[in-house]
Amino acid sequence: MKYILLHGLGQASSSWKDTVEAMDSQFDILCPDLSQWLCNKKACYANLYQAFKAYCEPFREPLNLCGLSLGGILALQYGIEHPKKVNSLVLIGTQYTMPKRLLQVQNVIFRILPNSSFQKMGFGKMDFINLSKSMMDLDFQDDLRKIRCRVLVICGDKDKANKSASLRLKKQIPHAEISIIAHAGHEVNLDNPAELGKELNAFFKK
């Protein structure tokens, strides 16, 4: 089985390095770089999701998807639309209904930041802004009942912006489990990768 780890906006595939090192070597783990999927394409969520679907298409066996934030949204939508192709889902700091106000504030901050702040993140400044804007109307609440696979919801204990959404997500998916990672904010894979790896090991081995 494949285990695909999808990073968040502002991260890169290397953001999973320490988490992967904490996971069991038996897992066949893939960490794609999301920015590469939008090479020569308009930076918008629809294009990114279509590229993710194309990435998953060659795999015949059911997939184990783990995503943080933007990566979690991609994994969530794929799990809803392709239930037979997904063996399990891990959703880290993931919103299922986009917080428009938060995204608007985020875009204001993006516009103020210098271009140099985005150089190491894979996406350019306008890519960040356009991608964020294109996500504002996403709402998967009515489709959560379509998820049939095992689900683990994860959130950092210091991630105030997403903790309540994570708790609601767990309730919306009755068979889901939840884990709050100590000493971590939104970027759990960077803040406490050892504990995250431990949680993923336990979940995937069940």
Side-chain angles (χ1 to χ4, degrees):
M1 277 192 179
K2 301 293 184 184
Y3 297 80
I4 302 176
L5 309 186
L6 303 167
H7 64 77
L9 186 61
Q11 294 189 342
S13 57
S14 59
S15 301
W16 293 110
K17 178 178 178 295
D18 293 338
T19 300
V20 172
E21 288 181 356
M23 294 176 66
D24 198 304
S25 59
Q26 74 182 36
F27 298 127
D28 187 358
I29 300 173
L30 301 172
C31 301
D33 198 320
L34 305 191
S35 64
Q36 293 182 359
W37 290 344
L38 290 178
C39 185
N40 299 320
K41 297 179 182 177
K42 179 182 177 182
C44 67
Y45 179 81
N47 283 344
L48 186 62
Y49 180 69
Q50 290 302 316
F52 175 51
K53 284 205 303 182
Y55 177 83
C56 293
E57 184 63 31
F59 301 116
R60 293 187 177 182
E61 71 274 23
L63 302 169
N64 298 281
L65 304 179
C66 171
L68 184 149
S69 195
L70 171 60
I73 295 168
L74 291 169
L76 177 63
Q77 183 172 357
Y78 193 84
I80 290 170
E81 295 184 357
H82 303 274
K84 293 182 179 180
K85 195 76 183 282
V86 180
N87 182 61
S88 66
L89 281 174
V90 179
L91 307 171
I92 308 172
T94 300
Q95 298 273 352
Y96 57 91
T97 300
M98 297 306 104
K100 292 186 179 181
R101 195 168 185 177
L102 180 61
L103 288 174
Q104 289 168 349
V105 171
Q106 181 177 274
N107 270 358
V108 170
I109 295 173
F110 286 162
R111 290 182 183 279
I112 295 172
L113 291 174
N115 291 326
S116 58
S117 300
F118 300 85
Q119 289 176 354
K120 295 181 180 180
M121 300 181 188
F123 295 103
K125 180 174 179 175
M126 289 309 300
D127 290 337
F128 265 82
I129 293 171
N130 292 333
L131 185 54
S132 185
K133 284 174 63 177
S134 71
M135 296 170 61
M136 286 189 183
D137 293 325
L138 294 178
D139 188 343
F140 302 109
Q141 182 164 356
D142 293 338
D143 296 316
L144 295 177
R145 56 184 172 77
K146 298 178 183 177
I147 297 175
R148 293 289 179 264
C149 66
R150 294 176 58 241
V151 179
L152 174 62
V153 177
I154 293 179
C155 190
D157 65 342
K158 298 178 182 177
D159 187 2
K160 296 180 180 179
N162 294 285
K163 186 181 287 188
S164 59
S166 294
L167 293 171
R168 291 195 302 271
L169 180 58
K170 195 273 177 196
K171 290 182 179 179
Q172 294 281 343
I173 306 174
H175 59 279
E177 304 172 39
I178 190 166
S179 177
I180 305 299
I181 303 292
H183 313 299
H186 184 50
E187 297 182 297
V188 181
N189 56 350
L190 299 179
D191 297 338
N192 198 345
E195 186 62 26
L196 177 58
K198 179 180 176 181
E199 289 288 337
L200 294 179
N201 275 336
F203 179 70
F204 288 141
K205 284 182 178 179
K206 288 182 180 178

